Amino acid sequence: MEQSGTSALLQGAVQDLASDVVSALRGGDHVRMSGTETVDDPEGSLTLAAVRVLGADLLLPHVLFPTPPAPEALTVFSRTVEAFPPRPDAAPTVRWSHWAMTRTLRRLDPHPDGAADGDDTVPQPDAGWLDAASWQVLTHQLAVLAPLAVPGEDCAVTLAARRRPVDVARGFVRAVRRRDWQQAAGAGRWLTLLDGVPDTLGLEAGLDFVELMGGGDPRVALQVQAARVMRVAGALV
């Protein structure tokens, strides 16, 4: 029962954080982190755990607009990166999620450990497993790694997605049919950045439908709003 209660608290904290990010994406404001415990709380591991689940998307508004993060958001983000290094046997998605957080931190706060100006290079994990993945597995993995779907990113996961836009489109349709709104939203965010997506997919209308059906979940709303911001930015370039 205690474990179930802790899980519910964590899920609630993640949802609150995601809501804050959605609000920031819609308004071009700072992520206020109003829904979590304070960093100084003796039980404050809940905050770090929630940030770990949300990953690099916590600071997404500051990557997309861009604006400097609020100091408290940057502090908790940095502490999370330090507190949860990948274990030697960690799954590839865990390694890449940590890589995305580390790279985001380096971009927005380039001096945490004495790094030089502009030095945002972070060694990449292996992404070879995506090349042999079926289109279903590829879509699932990319949805998990949706925080990597940002303009100008040329990491190995992004390159793998660029090679298979039709497969990602198939995965998006499958996720919608299965009512897996979180996977559909994550796949849709990737598709917003990819060339070669079939026009017949109707991505914009598809994302509207995903938001209508699953937008009550802040993590779904986050992915859809991220896709919209990137779509508008791409149209203006």
Side-chain angles (χ1 to χ4, degrees), residues 94-116:
V94 173
R95 293 180 179 277
W96 274 103
S97 178
H98 188 266
W99 180 88
M101 293 185 72
T102 303
R103 180 167 171 81
T104 299
L105 181 62
R106 195 71 63 85
R107 280 177 167 176
L108 297 175
D109 184 20
H111 308 285
D113 53 5

Side-chain angles (χ1 to χ4, degrees), residues 5 14 110 222:
V14 173
L222 191 162

Side-chain angles (χ1 to χ4, degrees), residues 50-96:
V51 173
R52 184 194 188 197
V53 172
L54 199 62
D57 275 345
L58 177 72
L59 299 182
L60 179 64
H62 308 293
V63 172
L64 294 182
F65 288 124
T67 55
E72 60 272 19
L74 197 61
T75 295
V76 73
F77 192 84
S78 177
R79 288 188 61 180
T80 302
V81 171
E82 295 173 3
F84 296 104
R87 294 169 44 155
D89 60 347
T93 51
V94 173
R95 293 180 179 277
W96 274 103

Side-chain angles (χ1 to χ4, degrees), residues 158-180:
T158 301
L159 296 178
R162 286 177 184 163
R163 289 193 290 268
R164 300 175 64 179
V166 175
D167 282 347
V168 182
R170 292 174 69 190
F172 173 78
V173 172
R174 178 175 181 265
V176 170
R177 288 176 175 170
R178 292 164 63 93
R179 305 178 70 85
D180 187 342

Side-chain angles (χ1 to χ4, degrees), residues 19 56 61 71 74 83 119 135 139 159 206 213 234:
S19 294
L74 197 61
D119 179 12
W135 60 270
T139 305
L159 296 178
M213 300 302 293

